[in-house]
Amino acid sequence: MNFTLSQIPSRSEKPREKGITMVMDKGLSIRETEDMISSASGFIDIVKLGWATSYVTSNLNEKLAVYKNAGIPVYFGGTLFEAFVVRNQFDDFRKLLDKYDLKYAEVSDGSLEMAQDVKCEYIRKLATQVTVLSEVGSKDENKIIPPYKWIQLIQSELEAGAWKVIGEARESGNVGLFRASGEVRQGLVEEILTQIPFEKMLWEAPQKSQQVWFVKLLGSNVNLGNIAPSELIPLETIRLGLRGDTFNHFLNAKTKKEWKIDSK
């Protein structure tokens, strides 16, 4: 950091197992990618090329090289995986990962109705090739999955070999973990955490209010995803208690008493 402040929460260091920030790249140009890395590379743990944007991205090889040279892993969004699977081209998807020398892949079923044992078999197969992130939750805002089912799905996917399980929210943050208004389904998250270690979950939280909620619940080293490039540095200040929303959260009891700050 540029200067010293006391009462700042400890952040894990890269390569991280917790405190991960996953960036959603929805089609950055090479110049925009370079600019993002120059200003915030220390806060970027992994980048997702959203849904199937990699299919239409110009200069994909050059763009991937920029990330690779910066030591930042990249993976293709789960919708692209589903696009291959629905066309019976899973083997082609595996070849694609090798072609682009990708070390991570996402397995999801947000746009498809896929039996859980089938999904877990895809995870098992890909886990022999790359590090797998799986995603739980539907992109259909009318499909509500009960908490016990979320827990069952997450546990089975971790057992199948997923490194992290992503809680679905879409890039808009209004499905899956969240209500249409963007409000967190608090009971769902808290019930998941009774059974699943917090470091195994990567919560999609594109909206500031969602990021604040998770940091207050789980601390500065919560795993958060679908973060817009422009929100990387703002998110880090939220994690460190240096933005109004979390300003009081990490202060010690003595400071709160001195300044008559409500400790709730």
Side-chain angles (χ1 to χ4, degrees):
M1 299 301 167
N2 294 319
F3 32 81
T4 301
L5 281 172
S6 65
Q7 301 177 57
I8 297 295
S10 176
R11 283 285 276 127
S12 55
E13 296 182 0
K14 296 173 66 172
R16 301 183 238 263
E17 280 295 317
K18 58 184 179 180
I20 290 168
T21 296
M22 177 263 276
V23 178
M24 169 72 89
D25 179 339
K26 299 191 291 185
L28 296 177
S29 69
I30 291 176
R31 177 62 60 84
E32 288 170 328
T33 302
E34 292 170 339
D35 288 346
M36 176 180 70
I37 290 171
S38 71
S39 63
S41 62
F43 311 132
I44 306 170
D45 295 286
I46 191 166
V47 171
K48 172 166 66 175
L49 302 187
W51 54 98
T53 54
S54 56
Y55 184 74
V56 297
T57 296
S58 300
N59 303 317
L60 180 59
N61 278 307
E62 292 86 343
K63 184 176 183 178
L64 292 174
V66 172
Y67 283 122
K68 186 174 184 178
N69 291 337
I72 297 172
V74 179
Y75 69 98
F76 295 151
T79 303
L80 184 68
F81 160 80
E82 295 178 51
F84 274 88
V85 167
V86 78
R87 293 168 172 81
N88 296 314
Q89 292 181 249
F90 178 63
D91 288 342
D92 291 333
F93 179 75
R94 298 188 72 173
K95 292 173 184 176
L96 191 74
L97 300 179
D98 289 336
K99 175 183 177 181
Y100 289 106
D101 192 29
L102 299 182
K103 307 302 182 186
Y104 290 79
E106 181 181 320
V107 173
S108 67
D109 58 352
S111 299
L112 286 177
E113 291 289 339
M114 187 183 300
Q116 186 64 9
D117 59 341
V118 173
K119 185 180 181 186
C120 286
E121 185 59 25
Y122 283 126
I123 293 171
R124 276 189 284 270
K125 288 179 178 178
L126 284 172
T128 66
Q129 180 180 356
V130 294
T131 298
V132 176
L133 298 97
S134 67
E135 185 177 73
V136 170
S138 175
K139 289 178 169 57
D140 183 351
E141 64 184 40
N142 296 313
K143 184 177 180 180
I144 304 299
I145 303 173
Y148 82 90
K149 187 65 174 178
W150 276 78
I151 292 170
Q152 289 178 356
L153 297 173
I154 293 165
Q155 288 176 330
S156 66
E157 293 175 22
L158 289 171
E159 290 168 2
W163 169 57
K164 306 288 182 192
V165 174
I166 301 168
E168 170 73 79
R170 300 194 74 173
E171 73 280 2
S172 54
N174 58 6
V175 300
L177 296 170
F178 305 103
R179 298 183 174 90
S181 64
E183 180 185 2
V184 182
R185 294 176 61 194
Q186 181 173 343
L188 167 63
V189 172
E190 292 180 346
E191 192 156 346
I192 289 172
L193 290 168
T194 65
Q195 301 295 321
I196 308 297
F198 91 100
E199 66 271 14
K200 288 295 183 180
M201 292 298 302
L202 196 159
W203 311 97
E204 291 185 343
Q207 298 182 26
K208 185 190 76 166
S209 61
Q210 298 163 351
Q211 297 159 16
V212 169
W213 190 89
F214 277 108
V215 168
K216 285 185 173 181
L217 179 70
L218 295 170
S220 60
N221 289 313
V222 60
N223 299 324
L224 297 175
N226 281 13
I227 307 302
S230 61
E231 295 301 319
L232 272 166
I233 289 177
L235 170 58
E236 195 64 21
T237 62
I238 289 171
R239 289 185 184 274
L240 297 177
L242 296 174
R243 192 169 179 176
D245 308 87
T246 55
F247 188 84
N248 299 332
H249 190 70
F250 298 105
L251 296 176
N252 62 34
K254 180 181 178 181
T255 298
K256 289 181 178 180
K257 182 178 180 181
E258 179 183 354
W259 287 90
K260 298 180 175 61
I261 294 170
D262 190 340
S263 61
K264 291 182 181 178

